[in-house]
Amino acid sequence: VAFRSLVDKFRFERVLNSNPQTKTISLLGLIDNAPAILTAEKTHFTFDENKVESPSASNESDSRTLHRCENEYTCINALQELRQLTSNDIYYWGLAVLKQNMDHNPTTRLNLIWPATTVHIRKFEQQQLHLVRETPETYERIVKPYIDEMYQLGRLKWVHNILYHGAEADRVVYRDFLDDNKRDGFVILPDMKWDGVNLDALYLVAIFYRDDLKSIRDLRPEDRNWLKSLNTKIKTIVPGCYNYTIRADELRIFVHYQPSYYHFHIHIVNVKHPGLNDGIAAGKAILLDDLIENLKYLGPRGYMNRTLTYVIGDNHDLWERGLREVVSKQLEEDGIPKTPKVVNDFA
Ligand code: M7G
C-alpha cells in the first residue's frame, strides 16, 4: 500500500508524545479502523557536501573538496520570508520561512506504524521512567521468558524481510553474506530513524544473519573476536559509503539494553547526534568498544554473569511483569529510605 494514501487516511485521535528538543511529535490515530502511530521529526539543516574533484580510478588518494553552505538549499540560503520580532542594541531576532525541497532539505521525516500493536502504542506514549538493576537472577526469572514470548510473536518480520526477502534492498549500504558462513554475515542500512539526507544526523543499523543472539545477554567471550572484526569492518566501510564526509572516529557504535527488538543489531550514529529520545543515553546505550572490552573479564558465561542497570518506562510490559517489585526491593536492600507521600497541592 502506498505510504501517501495511508497518511491521507489517518484520522487523528490524540497526541502520544512531543519533544521540543528533538522536534518530534507522535500522534495516535486510525487508518481504516486500525490503530496507527504517525511520528514526525523536523529535519536538521544541511550544510556539508563532499565532492571528488578529480575522479580517477588509479589515484588512491583522490582529493575531495568540502562544500559548505554553497548549494541553494543548504544553511539558510533559501530564505523566502523574514519577519523581525524585536531588536535591542546589537541583537535582532525574528522568524523565517525557508524554501523546502524534497531532495535537498525536506521539512520533516514521517514515520508510520500501521497497524500498530499495543506494545508500539505504549512505547511511544509519554511515561514515567525508572532505573532498574537487572541481576542474572532477574534476567532468568522475568526478562528471558518475556524475550522468548516476544520472539514468538513475530515482531521480527521486518528484520527477516531485510535479511532474506529483499526489503529496503535499494537502501542497503553494505551486505556481507557468504552462503557457507551465515554466522559472520551482516547488513548495514539506514535506520528508520534517519532522513537519509543529513549526515549530521547519520543513523545506520547493522543487522546480523546469526540468530542465536537475542540481546547482549547472549554474548560470550568466544564472540569477542567476531565483535572486534565487526567493529573494524563498520569503521572501514561506513566512511567510504558517505564520501568520507564522516570519519571512522566520528561514529558512535553501540547497542541497546533493553532493545525493542530481540535480534542482535548495532546502532551506528554520527557522534554529533544528540540522540532521539533516550537512544544514546546512559542506561540504554552500550558502546561496542566497551562490550568487546568487558567480554575479556566477564568469565565463560559472558554477559549472562553481569548485573545490568538500565532505564525502563512503566509502560513497558517488563515493568508490570516483575521489574516494579524488583526496583522497590532493591531500594529497600540498598537502605534508601521510603519516599514520603508527596501530595500535589496545585489546583
Ligand atoms: P532497538 O534498540 O531494538 O530499539 O533498535 P529502539 O532503538 O527503537 O528502542 C532497533 C532499531 O531498528 C531502531 O533504531 C529502529 O529505528 C530501527 N528499525 C525498526 N524498524 C521496524 C525498522 C525497519 O523496518 N527498517 C529499518 N531500516 N530500521 C528499523
Side-chain angles (χ1 to χ4, degrees):
V1 199
F3 189 20
R4 177 64 202 250
S5 67
L6 289 176
V7 173
D8 285 343
K9 282 197 278 186
F10 182 84
R11 279 195 289 118
F12 169 79
E13 285 200 327
R14 65 190 165 93
V15 175
L16 290 175
N17 206 350
S18 89
N19 183 329
Q21 178 152 31
T22 55
K23 300 196 168 51
T24 51
I25 186 162
S26 291
L27 312 173
L28 179 68
L30 289 172
I31 296 175
D32 292 343
N33 289 320
I37 301 170
L38 194 55
T39 303
E41 179 201 355
K42 284 262 175 81
T43 51
H44 183 48
F45 298 90
T46 52
F47 58 93
D48 268 356
E49 234 182 330
N50 237 357
K51 283 207 181 120
V52 182
E53 293 301 309
S54 50
S56 82
S58 57
N59 183 1
E60 272 181 45
S61 57
D62 56 7
S63 79
R64 286 155 201 271
T65 312
L66 187 64
H67 294 261
R68 188 158 273 186
C69 297
E70 280 182 16
N71 135 355
E72 68 172 304
Y73 295 103
T74 52
C75 298
I76 52 158
N77 292 344
L79 192 63
Q80 276 184 328
E81 261 182 84
L82 176 63
R83 182 193 303 150
Q84 177 174 320
L85 288 175
T86 311
S87 72
N88 181 347
D89 185 33
I90 56 170
Y91 305 98
Y92 304 81
W93 60 99
L95 299 169
V97 176
L98 300 177
K99 187 159 98 187
Q100 305 285 307
N101 171 284
M102 190 54 107
D103 295 317
H104 295 98
N105 65 343
T107 312
T108 180
R109 186 179 59 80
L110 278 187
N111 204 315
L112 174 71
I113 304 179
W114 180 77
T117 63
T118 43
V119 176
H120 289 119
I121 298 170
R122 289 164 66 89
K123 174 180 163 187
F124 278 84
E125 201 156 24
Q126 195 159 11
Q127 55 191 302
Q128 192 83 37
L129 302 175
H130 310 269
L131 273 148
V132 57
R133 284 203 306 270
E134 181 188 297
T135 61
E137 184 273 328
T138 304
Y139 173 75
E140 288 294 342
R141 185 168 55 87
I142 300 169
V143 180
K144 187 163 184 300
Y146 170 78
I147 293 179
D148 292 341
E149 227 174 87
M150 283 288 120
Y151 196 75
Q152 298 304 325
L153 276 180
R155 289 195 79 232
L156 294 173
K157 190 154 180 258
W158 67 275
V159 172
H160 298 142
N161 285 347
I162 289 170
L163 293 178
Y164 301 108
H165 307 300
E168 306 182 45
D170 51 331
R171 294 175 37 94
V172 164
V173 169
Y174 182 80
R175 192 184 293 268
D176 191 318
F177 181 68
L178 300 167
D179 264 331
D180 54 346
N181 185 9
K182 183 178 143 188
R183 256 181 91 80
D184 285 347
F186 65 100
V187 174
I188 302 179
L189 77 166
D191 192 284
M192 194 168 77
K193 289 189 189 109
W194 186 38
D195 61 28
V197 177
N198 198 311
L199 283 175
D200 259 13
L202 175 82
Y203 201 132
L204 305 171
V205 58
I207 303 177
F208 304 96
Y209 279 92
R210 62 184 285 189
D211 53 14
D212 56 331
L213 301 174
K214 305 236 177 355
S215 76
I216 59 165
R217 279 283 184 204
D218 295 325
L219 289 172
R220 300 287 172 273
E222 310 75 281
D223 297 311
R224 222 180 138 251
N225 286 336
W226 174 68
L227 289 174
K228 267 174 91 167
S229 76
L230 273 176
N231 202 8
T232 309
K233 277 190 189 168
I234 291 171
K235 288 181 191 171
T236 310
I237 294 159
V238 172
C241 292
Y242 294 95
N243 247 334
Y244 298 96
T245 306
I246 185 150
R247 293 158 204 259
D249 61 343
E250 293 171 332
L251 298 173
R252 196 190 300 263
I253 306 173
F254 58 91
V255 300
H256 280 159
Y257 197 79
Q258 294 284 333
S260 298
Y261 301 98
Y262 295 102
H263 177 109
F264 195 58
H265 57 274
I266 293 184
H267 303 251
I268 305 160
V269 183
N270 189 332
V271 70
K272 270 172 136 181
H273 196 310
L276 288 169
N277 304 319
D278 58 350
I280 61 173
K284 171 118 186 177
I286 304 170
L287 291 173
L288 179 58
D289 276 309
D290 285 344
L291 281 184
I292 294 170
E293 183 65 12
N294 282 340
L295 284 172
K296 263 198 215 163
Y297 307 105
L298 287 171
R301 278 167 38 90
Y303 266 88
M304 209 58 99
N305 244 351
R306 257 201 68 166
T307 291
L308 293 162
T309 302
Y310 55 84
V311 175
I312 190 126
D314 50 20
N315 269 353
H316 199 292
D317 272 346
L318 283 172
W319 183 247
E320 289 306 334
R321 288 171 72 135
L323 292 189
R324 177 206 289 273
E325 283 72 35
V326 167
V327 168
S328 62
K329 224 171 113 207
Q330 272 169 2
L331 292 173
E332 209 179 302
E333 283 166 7
D334 290 351
I336 314 281
K338 276 221 164 64
T339 317
K341 200 173 162 63
V342 181
V343 189
N344 179 351
D345 68 351
F346 300 116

